[in-house]
Amino acid sequence: MVQRPSWDEYFMGIAFAVAQRSTCDRAHVGSIIVRNKRILTTGYNGSPRGLPHCTDAGHLMINGHCVRTLHAEQNAIIQAALHGVSVEGGTIYVTHQPCLTCAKMIINAGLMRVVYAGNYPDENAVAFLKEADVALEHFTWPPQE
């Protein structure tokens, strides 16, 4: 009998597929926002619409960070706003732990749960999410058998 993936495994796998669209090779990050087991939006790290991507123009580095791109979480939240989709009460699945700016956007968007795979050492992001009662769950990827 074939073992079906859990919902978290299923959605995290999709987030990793979305990350393949990333245009910044410093980190291929993908995210999806889900509510009631339905995908609402997706996002990956890439440049603002109509502007050159890292793959075309190179990285724009400031203080050790590439600032040419938006983060995957930001793009997923922006896509929801652009298309009039409420994400309130949803879960965001991300291939990496959110940074502080993304954590603040997640809080203000009304998301209630963050499931992430890769670590991104941002203690302030963790503290903000905790204080806002947003569940933050590390997910081992790939899942262990």
Side-chain angles (χ1 to χ4, degrees):
M1 179 187 290
V2 175
Q3 178 70 26
R4 293 175 68 194
S6 70
W7 286 108
D8 284 346
E9 290 169 344
Y10 174 72
F11 290 128
M12 188 60 76
I14 294 170
F16 273 94
V18 170
Q20 294 175 22
R21 292 278 308 153
S22 171
T23 61
C24 182
D25 62 4
R26 288 179 46 85
H28 293 273
V29 183
S31 70
I32 66 169
I33 298 176
V34 174
R35 188 177 57 229
N36 298 328
K37 300 178 184 166
R38 299 289 182 256
I39 297 170
L40 302 176
T41 64
T42 67
Y44 54 87
N45 54 330
S47 294
R49 181 174 32 185
L51 298 182
H53 295 281
C54 295
T55 52
D56 302 322
H59 301 290
L60 178 57
M61 300 299 294
I62 297 177
N63 296 326
H65 296 278
C66 179
V67 297
R68 185 175 301 286
T69 63
L70 292 152
H71 289 188
E73 304 95 318
Q74 294 167 345
N75 270 325
I77 292 167
I78 290 167
Q79 286 302 308
L82 183 65
H83 296 288
V85 176
S86 173
V87 297
E88 188 170 15
T91 296
I92 187 166
Y93 291 84
V94 191
T95 59
H96 294 66
Q97 177 190 317
C99 69
L100 179 57
T101 298
C102 289
K104 292 185 286 187
M105 291 181 70
I106 288 166
I107 293 164
N108 275 5
L111 292 163
M112 299 306 299
R113 182 173 175 240
V114 177
V115 180
Y116 70 96
N119 286 318
Y120 179 86
D122 193 330
E123 295 174 11
N124 290 317
V126 172
F128 273 53
L129 291 166
K130 182 177 182 179
E131 188 173 352
D133 290 324
V134 175
L136 180 63
E137 301 173 23
H138 184 255
F139 190 82
T140 301
W141 191 262
Q144 304 301 311
E145 307 243 349

